[in-house]
PDB file of all heavy atoms in Angstrom:
ATOM      1  N   GLY A   1     -20.679  16.652  28.099  1.00 97.00           N
ATOM      2  CA  GLY A   1     -19.721  17.098  29.106  1.00 97.00           C
ATOM      3  C   GLY A   1     -18.752  16.034  29.582  1.00 97.00           C
ATOM      4  O   GLY A   1     -17.937  16.283  30.462  1.00 97.00           O
ATOM      5  N   TRP A   2     -18.808  14.842  29.015  1.00 98.00           N
ATOM      6  CA  TRP A   2     -17.860  13.790  29.392  1.00 98.00           C
ATOM      7  C   TRP A   2     -16.501  14.101  28.777  1.00 98.00           C
ATOM      8  O   TRP A   2     -16.408  14.622  27.663  1.00 98.00           O
ATOM      9  CB  TRP A   2     -18.327  12.425  28.919  1.00 98.00           C
ATOM     10  CG  TRP A   2     -19.671  12.023  29.419  1.00 98.00           C
ATOM     11  CD1 TRP A   2     -20.251  12.329  30.626  1.00 98.00           C
ATOM     12  CD2 TRP A   2     -20.634  11.259  28.698  1.00 98.00           C
ATOM     13  NE1 TRP A   2     -21.498  11.786  30.707  1.00 98.00           N
ATOM     14  CE2 TRP A   2     -21.779  11.120  29.530  1.00 98.00           C
ATOM     15  CE3 TRP A   2     -20.662  10.674  27.449  1.00 98.00           C
ATOM     16  CZ2 TRP A   2     -22.897  10.422  29.148  1.00 98.00           C
ATOM     17  CZ3 TRP A   2     -21.787   9.976  27.065  1.00 98.00           C
ATOM     18  CH2 TRP A   2     -22.889   9.852  27.914  1.00 98.00           C
ATOM     19  N   LEU A   3     -15.461  13.708  29.487  1.00 98.00           N
ATOM     20  CA  LEU A   3     -14.093  13.911  29.011  1.00 98.00           C
ATOM     21  C   LEU A   3     -13.316  12.613  29.083  1.00 98.00           C
ATOM     22  O   LEU A   3     -13.478  11.843  30.033  1.00 98.00           O
ATOM     23  CB  LEU A   3     -13.353  14.927  29.880  1.00 98.00           C
ATOM     24  CG  LEU A   3     -13.618  16.395  29.665  1.00 98.00           C
ATOM     25  CD1 LEU A   3     -12.828  17.208  30.687  1.00 98.00           C
ATOM     26  CD2 LEU A   3     -13.272  16.830  28.269  1.00 98.00           C
ATOM     27  N   ARG A   4     -12.476  12.419  28.100  1.00 98.00           N
ATOM     28  CA  ARG A   4     -11.489  11.346  28.145  1.00 98.00           C
ATOM     29  C   ARG A   4     -10.165  11.962  27.716  1.00 98.00           C
ATOM     30  O   ARG A   4     -10.132  12.814  26.834  1.00 98.00           O
ATOM     31  CB  ARG A   4     -11.871  10.190  27.210  1.00 98.00           C
ATOM     32  CG  ARG A   4     -13.086   9.434  27.716  1.00 98.00           C
ATOM     33  CD  ARG A   4     -13.443   8.277  26.822  1.00 98.00           C
ATOM     34  NE  ARG A   4     -14.593   7.561  27.365  1.00 98.00           N
ATOM     35  CZ  ARG A   4     -15.472   6.906  26.617  1.00 98.00           C
ATOM     36  NH1 ARG A   4     -15.345   6.869  25.302  1.00 98.00           N
ATOM     37  NH2 ARG A   4     -16.481   6.283  27.187  1.00 98.00           N
ATOM     38  N   LEU A   5      -9.099  11.502  28.342  1.00 98.00           N
ATOM     39  CA  LEU A   5      -7.767  11.994  28.047  1.00 98.00           C
ATOM     40  C   LEU A   5      -6.933  10.814  27.581  1.00 98.00           C
ATOM     41  O   LEU A   5      -6.874   9.786  28.276  1.00 98.00           O
ATOM     42  CB  LEU A   5      -7.160  12.611  29.313  1.00 98.00           C
ATOM     43  CG  LEU A   5      -5.814  13.288  29.190  1.00 98.00           C
ATOM     44  CD1 LEU A   5      -5.896  14.499  28.267  1.00 98.00           C
ATOM     45  CD2 LEU A   5      -5.333  13.716  30.571  1.00 98.00           C
ATOM     46  N   CYS A   6      -6.322  10.938  26.428  1.00 98.00           N
ATOM     47  CA  CYS A   6      -5.529   9.839  25.903  1.00 98.00           C
ATOM     48  C   CYS A   6      -4.294   9.637  26.783  1.00 98.00           C
ATOM     49  O   CYS A   6      -3.523  10.574  27.007  1.00 98.00           O
ATOM     50  CB  CYS A   6      -5.103  10.126  24.464  1.00 98.00           C
ATOM     51  SG  CYS A   6      -4.260   8.724  23.710  1.00 98.00           S
ATOM     52  N   PRO A   7      -4.098   8.413  27.290  1.00 97.00           N
ATOM     53  CA  PRO A   7      -2.972   8.171  28.190  1.00 97.00           C
ATOM     54  C   PRO A   7      -1.629   8.050  27.478  1.00 97.00           C
ATOM     55  O   PRO A   7      -0.595   8.034  28.142  1.00 97.00           O
ATOM     56  CB  PRO A   7      -3.344   6.850  28.868  1.00 97.00           C
ATOM     57  CG  PRO A   7      -4.170   6.140  27.856  1.00 97.00           C
ATOM     58  CD  PRO A   7      -4.933   7.223  27.130  1.00 97.00           C
ATOM     59  N   VAL A   8      -1.627   7.951  26.167  1.00 94.00           N
ATOM     60  CA  VAL A   8      -0.371   7.809  25.431  1.00 94.00           C
ATOM     61  C   VAL A   8      -0.141   9.028  24.550  1.00 94.00           C
ATOM     62  O   VAL A   8      -1.073   9.629  24.031  1.00 94.00           O
ATOM     63  CB  VAL A   8      -0.322   6.512  24.581  1.00 94.00           C
ATOM     64  CG1 VAL A   8      -0.297   5.289  25.456  1.00 94.00           C
ATOM     65  CG2 VAL A   8      -1.485   6.438  23.607  1.00 94.00           C
ATOM     66  N   ALA A   9       1.122   9.365  24.424  1.00 92.00           N
ATOM     67  CA  ALA A   9       1.548  10.449  23.532  1.00 92.00           C
ATOM     68  C   ALA A   9       2.983  10.144  23.142  1.00 92.00           C
ATOM     69  O   ALA A   9       3.786   9.755  23.988  1.00 92.00           O
ATOM     70  CB  ALA A   9       1.464  11.793  24.242  1.00 92.00           C
ATOM     71  N   HIS A  10       3.276  10.291  21.881  1.00 92.00           N
ATOM     72  CA  HIS A  10       4.630   9.995  21.433  1.00 92.00           C
ATOM     73  C   HIS A  10       5.060  11.028  20.398  1.00 92.00           C
ATOM     74  O   HIS A  10       4.274  11.370  19.514  1.00 92.00           O
ATOM     75  CB  HIS A  10       4.705   8.582  20.839  1.00 92.00           C
ATOM     76  CG  HIS A  10       6.112   8.089  20.737  1.00 92.00           C
ATOM     77  ND1 HIS A  10       6.946   8.436  19.718  1.00 92.00           N
ATOM     78  CD2 HIS A  10       6.831   7.293  21.557  1.00 92.00           C
ATOM     79  CE1 HIS A  10       8.127   7.874  19.903  1.00 92.00           C
ATOM     80  NE2 HIS A  10       8.074   7.173  21.021  1.00 92.00           N
ATOM     81  N   PRO A  11       6.296  11.509  20.485  1.00 92.00           N
ATOM     82  CA  PRO A  11       6.771  12.514  19.534  1.00 92.00           C
ATOM     83  C   PRO A  11       6.757  12.053  18.075  1.00 92.00           C
ATOM     84  O   PRO A  11       6.748  12.884  17.174  1.00 92.00           O
ATOM     85  CB  PRO A  11       8.209  12.803  19.982  1.00 92.00           C
ATOM     86  CG  PRO A  11       8.365  12.205  21.315  1.00 92.00           C
ATOM     87  CD  PRO A  11       7.277  11.207  21.520  1.00 92.00           C
ATOM     88  N   ALA A  12       6.722  10.750  17.845  1.00 90.00           N
ATOM     89  CA  ALA A  12       6.663  10.248  16.466  1.00 90.00           C
ATOM     90  C   ALA A  12       5.388  10.720  15.763  1.00 90.00           C
ATOM     91  O   ALA A  12       5.341  10.787  14.536  1.00 90.00           O
ATOM     92  CB  ALA A  12       6.740   8.725  16.447  1.00 90.00           C
ATOM     93  N   LEU A  13       4.365  11.069  16.541  1.00 92.00           N
ATOM     94  CA  LEU A  13       3.105  11.532  15.943  1.00 92.00           C
ATOM     95  C   LEU A  13       3.147  12.998  15.537  1.00 92.00           C
ATOM     96  O   LEU A  13       2.203  13.491  14.928  1.00 92.00           O
ATOM     97  CB  LEU A  13       1.943  11.298  16.914  1.00 92.00           C
ATOM     98  CG  LEU A  13       1.635   9.836  17.198  1.00 92.00           C
ATOM     99  CD1 LEU A  13       0.565   9.723  18.268  1.00 92.00           C
ATOM    100  CD2 LEU A  13       1.214   9.125  15.920  1.00 92.00           C
ATOM    101  N   ALA A  14       4.216  13.692  15.865  1.00 90.00           N
ATOM    102  CA  ALA A  14       4.332  15.111  15.531  1.00 90.00           C
ATOM    103  C   ALA A  14       4.932  15.287  14.140  1.00 90.00           C
ATOM    104  O   ALA A  14       5.953  15.939  13.959  1.00 90.00           O
ATOM    105  CB  ALA A  14       5.161  15.829  16.580  1.00 90.00           C
ATOM    106  N   SER A  15       4.298  14.677  13.153  1.00 90.00           N
ATOM    107  CA  SER A  15       4.753  14.850  11.775  1.00 90.00           C
ATOM    108  C   SER A  15       3.535  15.021  10.869  1.00 90.00           C
ATOM    109  O   SER A  15       2.419  14.614  11.211  1.00 90.00           O
ATOM    110  CB  SER A  15       5.615  13.668  11.319  1.00 90.00           C
ATOM    111  OG  SER A  15       4.878  12.482  11.271  1.00 90.00           O
ATOM    112  N   ALA A  16       3.780  15.637   9.745  1.00 91.00           N
ATOM    113  CA  ALA A  16       2.696  15.961   8.816  1.00 91.00           C
ATOM    114  C   ALA A  16       1.924  14.715   8.410  1.00 91.00           C
ATOM    115  O   ALA A  16       2.510  13.673   8.113  1.00 91.00           O
ATOM    116  CB  ALA A  16       3.265  16.644   7.573  1.00 91.00           C
ATOM    117  N   GLY A  17       0.605  14.833   8.432  1.00 94.00           N
ATOM    118  CA  GLY A  17      -0.258  13.759   7.956  1.00 94.00           C
ATOM    119  C   GLY A  17      -0.752  12.803   9.020  1.00 94.00           C
ATOM    120  O   GLY A  17      -1.682  12.033   8.762  1.00 94.00           O
ATOM    121  N   THR A  18      -0.160  12.832  10.206  1.00 95.00           N
ATOM    122  CA  THR A  18      -0.614  11.887  11.227  1.00 95.00           C
ATOM    123  C   THR A  18      -2.033  12.213  11.692  1.00 95.00           C
ATOM    124  O   THR A  18      -2.781  11.318  12.074  1.00 95.00           O
ATOM    125  CB  THR A  18       0.340  11.819  12.436  1.00 95.00           C
ATOM    126  OG1 THR A  18       0.476  13.119  13.004  1.00 95.00           O
ATOM    127  CG2 THR A  18       1.705  11.285  12.019  1.00 95.00           C
ATOM    128  N   GLY A  19      -2.410  13.487  11.633  1.00 95.00           N
ATOM    129  CA  GLY A  19      -3.792  13.857  11.958  1.00 95.00           C
ATOM    130  C   GLY A  19      -4.773  13.303  10.949  1.00 95.00           C
ATOM    131  O   GLY A  19      -5.911  12.960  11.292  1.00 95.00           O
ATOM    132  N   ASP A  20      -4.353  13.187   9.697  1.00 96.00           N
ATOM    133  CA  ASP A  20      -5.197  12.582   8.664  1.00 96.00           C
ATOM    134  C   ASP A  20      -5.424  11.101   8.954  1.00 96.00           C
ATOM    135  O   ASP A  20      -6.528  10.580   8.768  1.00 96.00           O
ATOM    136  CB  ASP A  20      -4.570  12.747   7.280  1.00 96.00           C
ATOM    137  CG  ASP A  20      -4.421  14.203   6.875  1.00 96.00           C
ATOM    138  OD1 ASP A  20      -5.308  15.015   7.224  1.00 96.00           O
ATOM    139  OD2 ASP A  20      -3.423  14.530   6.220  1.00 96.00           O
ATOM    140  N   VAL A  21      -4.372  10.435   9.423  1.00 97.00           N
ATOM    141  CA  VAL A  21      -4.504   9.026   9.803  1.00 97.00           C
ATOM    142  C   VAL A  21      -5.484   8.900  10.968  1.00 97.00           C
ATOM    143  O   VAL A  21      -6.349   8.016  10.981  1.00 97.00           O
ATOM    144  CB  VAL A  21      -3.130   8.407  10.150  1.00 97.00           C
ATOM    145  CG1 VAL A  21      -3.286   6.991  10.691  1.00 97.00           C
ATOM    146  CG2 VAL A  21      -2.215   8.420   8.927  1.00 97.00           C
ATOM    147  N   LEU A  22      -5.375   9.800  11.927  1.00 98.00           N
ATOM    148  CA  LEU A  22      -6.303   9.790  13.060  1.00 98.00           C
ATOM    149  C   LEU A  22      -7.740   9.994  12.594  1.00 98.00           C
ATOM    150  O   LEU A  22      -8.642   9.247  13.000  1.00 98.00           O
ATOM    151  CB  LEU A  22      -5.926  10.871  14.076  1.00 98.00           C
ATOM    152  CG  LEU A  22      -6.916  11.088  15.212  1.00 98.00           C
ATOM    153  CD1 LEU A  22      -7.100   9.819  16.038  1.00 98.00           C
ATOM    154  CD2 LEU A  22      -6.473  12.251  16.080  1.00 98.00           C
ATOM    155  N   ALA A  23      -7.973  10.980  11.749  1.00 98.00           N
ATOM    156  CA  ALA A  23      -9.332  11.238  11.246  1.00 98.00           C
ATOM    157  C   ALA A  23      -9.873  10.008  10.523  1.00 98.00           C
ATOM    158  O   ALA A  23     -11.041   9.639  10.694  1.00 98.00           O
ATOM    159  CB  ALA A  23      -9.340  12.461  10.327  1.00 98.00           C
ATOM    160  N   GLY A  24      -9.037   9.346   9.747  1.00 97.00           N
ATOM    161  CA  GLY A  24      -9.458   8.141   9.042  1.00 97.00           C
ATOM    162  C   GLY A  24      -9.773   6.998   9.988  1.00 97.00           C
ATOM    163  O   GLY A  24     -10.744   6.260   9.790  1.00 97.00           O
ATOM    164  N   ALA A  25      -8.974   6.852  11.031  1.00 97.00           N
ATOM    165  CA  ALA A  25      -9.226   5.796  12.021  1.00 97.00           C
ATOM    166  C   ALA A  25     -10.558   6.034  12.724  1.00 97.00           C
ATOM    167  O   ALA A  25     -11.364   5.110  12.895  1.00 97.00           O
ATOM    168  CB  ALA A  25      -8.083   5.727  13.035  1.00 97.00           C
ATOM    169  N   ILE A  26     -10.811   7.274  13.112  1.00 98.00           N
ATOM    170  CA  ILE A  26     -12.069   7.610  13.777  1.00 98.00           C
ATOM    171  C   ILE A  26     -13.239   7.369  12.829  1.00 98.00           C
ATOM    172  O   ILE A  26     -14.253   6.773  13.212  1.00 98.00           O
ATOM    173  CB  ILE A  26     -12.055   9.062  14.281  1.00 98.00           C
ATOM    174  CG1 ILE A  26     -11.024   9.227  15.400  1.00 98.00           C
ATOM    175  CG2 ILE A  26     -13.438   9.486  14.761  1.00 98.00           C
ATOM    176  CD1 ILE A  26     -10.752  10.673  15.800  1.00 98.00           C
ATOM    177  N   ALA A  27     -13.107   7.807  11.584  1.00 97.00           N
ATOM    178  CA  ALA A  27     -14.184   7.613  10.600  1.00 97.00           C
ATOM    179  C   ALA A  27     -14.461   6.129  10.374  1.00 97.00           C
ATOM    180  O   ALA A  27     -15.621   5.710  10.259  1.00 97.00           O
ATOM    181  CB  ALA A  27     -13.821   8.301   9.280  1.00 97.00           C
ATOM    182  N   GLY A  28     -13.407   5.325  10.334  1.00 96.00           N
ATOM    183  CA  GLY A  28     -13.587   3.891  10.149  1.00 96.00           C
ATOM    184  C   GLY A  28     -14.348   3.257  11.303  1.00 96.00           C
ATOM    185  O   GLY A  28     -15.240   2.424  11.099  1.00 96.00           O
ATOM    186  N   LEU A  29     -14.017   3.642  12.518  1.00 96.00           N
ATOM    187  CA  LEU A  29     -14.722   3.111  13.693  1.00 96.00           C
ATOM    188  C   LEU A  29     -16.168   3.606  13.732  1.00 96.00           C
ATOM    189  O   LEU A  29     -17.081   2.848  14.071  1.00 96.00           O
ATOM    190  CB  LEU A  29     -13.973   3.511  14.970  1.00 96.00           C
ATOM    191  CG  LEU A  29     -12.584   2.886  15.121  1.00 96.00           C
ATOM    192  CD1 LEU A  29     -11.802   3.573  16.235  1.00 96.00           C
ATOM    193  CD2 LEU A  29     -12.685   1.391  15.356  1.00 96.00           C
ATOM    194  N   LEU A  30     -16.374   4.844  13.361  1.00 96.00           N
ATOM    195  CA  LEU A  30     -17.721   5.413  13.286  1.00 96.00           C
ATOM    196  C   LEU A  30     -18.560   4.660  12.253  1.00 96.00           C
ATOM    197  O   LEU A  30     -19.717   4.305  12.514  1.00 96.00           O
ATOM    198  CB  LEU A  30     -17.611   6.894  12.932  1.00 96.00           C
ATOM    199  CG  LEU A  30     -18.815   7.786  13.081  1.00 96.00           C
ATOM    200  CD1 LEU A  30     -19.297   7.843  14.517  1.00 96.00           C
ATOM    201  CD2 LEU A  30     -18.462   9.200  12.604  1.00 96.00           C
ATOM    202  N   ALA A  31     -17.961   4.360  11.113  1.00 96.00           N
ATOM    203  CA  ALA A  31     -18.668   3.641  10.041  1.00 96.00           C
ATOM    204  C   ALA A  31     -19.027   2.209  10.450  1.00 96.00           C
ATOM    205  O   ALA A  31     -19.962   1.628   9.907  1.00 96.00           O
ATOM    206  CB  ALA A  31     -17.812   3.619   8.771  1.00 96.00           C
ATOM    207  N   GLN A  32     -18.295   1.666  11.419  1.00 95.00           N
ATOM    208  CA  GLN A  32     -18.581   0.312  11.897  1.00 95.00           C
ATOM    209  C   GLN A  32     -19.635   0.290  12.991  1.00 95.00           C
ATOM    210  O   GLN A  32     -19.932  -0.762  13.540  1.00 95.00           O
ATOM    211  CB  GLN A  32     -17.293  -0.339  12.401  1.00 95.00           C
ATOM    212  CG  GLN A  32     -16.305  -0.608  11.278  1.00 95.00           C
ATOM    213  CD  GLN A  32     -15.016  -1.182  11.801  1.00 95.00           C
ATOM    214  OE1 GLN A  32     -15.018  -2.224  12.469  1.00 95.00           O
ATOM    215  NE2 GLN A  32     -13.910  -0.527  11.511  1.00 95.00           N
ATOM    216  N   GLY A  33     -20.202   1.454  13.316  1.00 96.00           N
ATOM    217  CA  GLY A  33     -21.328   1.497  14.235  1.00 96.00           C
ATOM    218  C   GLY A  33     -21.037   1.992  15.638  1.00 96.00           C
ATOM    219  O   GLY A  33     -21.931   1.997  16.480  1.00 96.00           O
ATOM    220  N   MET A  34     -19.823   2.394  15.915  1.00 96.00           N
ATOM    221  CA  MET A  34     -19.538   2.940  17.239  1.00 96.00           C
ATOM    222  C   MET A  34     -20.193   4.311  17.372  1.00 96.00           C
ATOM    223  O   MET A  34     -20.350   5.020  16.383  1.00 96.00           O
ATOM    224  CB  MET A  34     -18.028   3.079  17.462  1.00 96.00           C
ATOM    225  CG  MET A  34     -17.300   1.755  17.592  1.00 96.00           C
ATOM    226  SD  MET A  34     -15.527   1.988  17.943  1.00 96.00           S
ATOM    227  CE  MET A  34     -15.583   2.042  19.714  1.00 96.00           C
ATOM    228  N   SER A  35     -20.528   4.683  18.596  1.00 97.00           N
ATOM    229  CA  SER A  35     -21.030   6.033  18.841  1.00 97.00           C
ATOM    230  C   SER A  35     -19.908   7.022  18.557  1.00 97.00           C
ATOM    231  O   SER A  35     -18.725   6.672  18.573  1.00 97.00           O
ATOM    232  CB  SER A  35     -21.491   6.176  20.288  1.00 97.00           C
ATOM    233  OG  SER A  35     -20.375   6.178  21.161  1.00 97.00           O
ATOM    234  N   ALA A  36     -20.274   8.277  18.323  1.00 98.00           N
ATOM    235  CA  ALA A  36     -19.276   9.294  17.993  1.00 98.00           C
ATOM    236  C   ALA A  36     -18.228   9.424  19.104  1.00 98.00           C
ATOM    237  O   ALA A  36     -17.020   9.448  18.827  1.00 98.00           O
ATOM    238  CB  ALA A  36     -19.958  10.631  17.727  1.00 98.00           C
ATOM    239  N   PHE A  37     -18.672   9.482  20.350  1.00 98.00           N
ATOM    240  CA  PHE A  37     -17.731   9.657  21.464  1.00 98.00           C
ATOM    241  C   PHE A  37     -16.814   8.446  21.608  1.00 98.00           C
ATOM    242  O   PHE A  37     -15.603   8.589  21.801  1.00 98.00           O
ATOM    243  CB  PHE A  37     -18.508   9.922  22.755  1.00 98.00           C
ATOM    244  CG  PHE A  37     -17.657  10.270  23.936  1.00 98.00           C
ATOM    245  CD1 PHE A  37     -16.770  11.331  23.904  1.00 98.00           C
ATOM    246  CD2 PHE A  37     -17.754   9.541  25.109  1.00 98.00           C
ATOM    247  CE1 PHE A  37     -15.987  11.671  25.015  1.00 98.00           C
ATOM    248  CE2 PHE A  37     -16.988   9.862  26.226  1.00 98.00           C
ATOM    249  CZ  PHE A  37     -16.105  10.923  26.174  1.00 98.00           C
ATOM    250  N   ASN A  38     -17.360   7.249  21.478  1.00 98.00           N
ATOM    251  CA  ASN A  38     -16.538   6.046  21.598  1.00 98.00           C
ATOM    252  C   ASN A  38     -15.615   5.864  20.398  1.00 98.00           C
ATOM    253  O   ASN A  38     -14.472   5.426  20.556  1.00 98.00           O
ATOM    254  CB  ASN A  38     -17.406   4.813  21.818  1.00 98.00           C
ATOM    255  CG  ASN A  38     -17.982   4.758  23.216  1.00 98.00           C
ATOM    256  OD1 ASN A  38     -17.424   5.340  24.150  1.00 98.00           O
ATOM    257  ND2 ASN A  38     -19.106   4.095  23.374  1.00 98.00           N
ATOM    258  N   ALA A  39     -16.092   6.184  19.201  1.00 98.00           N
ATOM    259  CA  ALA A  39     -15.233   6.092  18.011  1.00 98.00           C
ATOM    260  C   ALA A  39     -14.070   7.067  18.128  1.00 98.00           C
ATOM    261  O   ALA A  39     -12.918   6.720  17.824  1.00 98.00           O
ATOM    262  CB  ALA A  39     -16.039   6.364  16.748  1.00 98.00           C
ATOM    263  N   ALA A  40     -14.365   8.288  18.580  1.00 98.00           N
ATOM    264  CA  ALA A  40     -13.300   9.278  18.750  1.00 98.00           C
ATOM    265  C   ALA A  40     -12.308   8.811  19.812  1.00 98.00           C
ATOM    266  O   ALA A  40     -11.082   8.884  19.615  1.00 98.00           O
ATOM    267  CB  ALA A  40     -13.894  10.630  19.118  1.00 98.00           C
ATOM    268  N   SER A  41     -12.812   8.308  20.918  1.00 98.00           N
ATOM    269  CA  SER A  41     -11.943   7.863  22.008  1.00 98.00           C
ATOM    270  C   SER A  41     -11.075   6.683  21.589  1.00 98.00           C
ATOM    271  O   SER A  41      -9.858   6.675  21.832  1.00 98.00           O
ATOM    272  CB  SER A  41     -12.793   7.471  23.223  1.00 98.00           C
ATOM    273  OG  SER A  41     -13.556   8.552  23.677  1.00 98.00           O
ATOM    274  N   ALA A  42     -11.686   5.683  20.975  1.00 97.00           N
ATOM    275  CA  ALA A  42     -10.943   4.499  20.539  1.00 97.00           C
ATOM    276  C   ALA A  42      -9.945   4.865  19.447  1.00 97.00           C
ATOM    277  O   ALA A  42      -8.801   4.389  19.455  1.00 97.00           O
ATOM    278  CB  ALA A  42     -11.904   3.411  20.054  1.00 97.00           C
ATOM    279  N   GLY A  43     -10.368   5.706  18.509  1.00 98.00           N
ATOM    280  CA  GLY A  43      -9.469   6.129  17.434  1.00 98.00           C
ATOM    281  C   GLY A  43      -8.252   6.866  17.965  1.00 98.00           C
ATOM    282  O   GLY A  43      -7.114   6.609  17.552  1.00 98.00           O
ATOM    283  N   VAL A  44      -8.477   7.775  18.898  1.00 98.00           N
ATOM    284  CA  VAL A  44      -7.368   8.532  19.496  1.00 98.00           C
ATOM    285  C   VAL A  44      -6.423   7.584  20.235  1.00 98.00           C
ATOM    286  O   VAL A  44      -5.200   7.676  20.100  1.00 98.00           O
ATOM    287  CB  VAL A  44      -7.898   9.634  20.440  1.00 98.00           C
ATOM    288  CG1 VAL A  44      -6.790  10.190  21.323  1.00 98.00           C
ATOM    289  CG2 VAL A  44      -8.550  10.750  19.636  1.00 98.00           C
ATOM    290  N   TYR A  45      -6.975   6.661  20.995  1.00 97.00           N
ATOM    291  CA  TYR A  45      -6.140   5.730  21.754  1.00 97.00           C
ATOM    292  C   TYR A  45      -5.325   4.828  20.822  1.00 97.00           C
ATOM    293  O   TYR A  45      -4.109   4.670  20.986  1.00 97.00           O
ATOM    294  CB  TYR A  45      -6.985   4.888  22.704  1.00 97.00           C
ATOM    295  CG  TYR A  45      -6.148   3.917  23.494  1.00 97.00           C
ATOM    296  CD1 TYR A  45      -5.239   4.374  24.440  1.00 97.00           C
ATOM    297  CD2 TYR A  45      -6.240   2.549  23.277  1.00 97.00           C
ATOM    298  CE1 TYR A  45      -4.444   3.493  25.156  1.00 97.00           C
ATOM    299  CE2 TYR A  45      -5.452   1.665  23.988  1.00 97.00           C
ATOM    300  CZ  TYR A  45      -4.561   2.139  24.920  1.00 97.00           C
ATOM    301  OH  TYR A  45      -3.767   1.255  25.622  1.00 97.00           O
TER     302      TYR A  45
END
């Protein structure tokens, strides 16, 4: 039930494939041992 809201948003991210980059960033942080919630939060930020 914890929530985090990303404080940054930029229209440059509204293009095809940027979600794939995000998924890869989160997966990379997860693979380095971060918890799922922290990897997702750090990756999004």
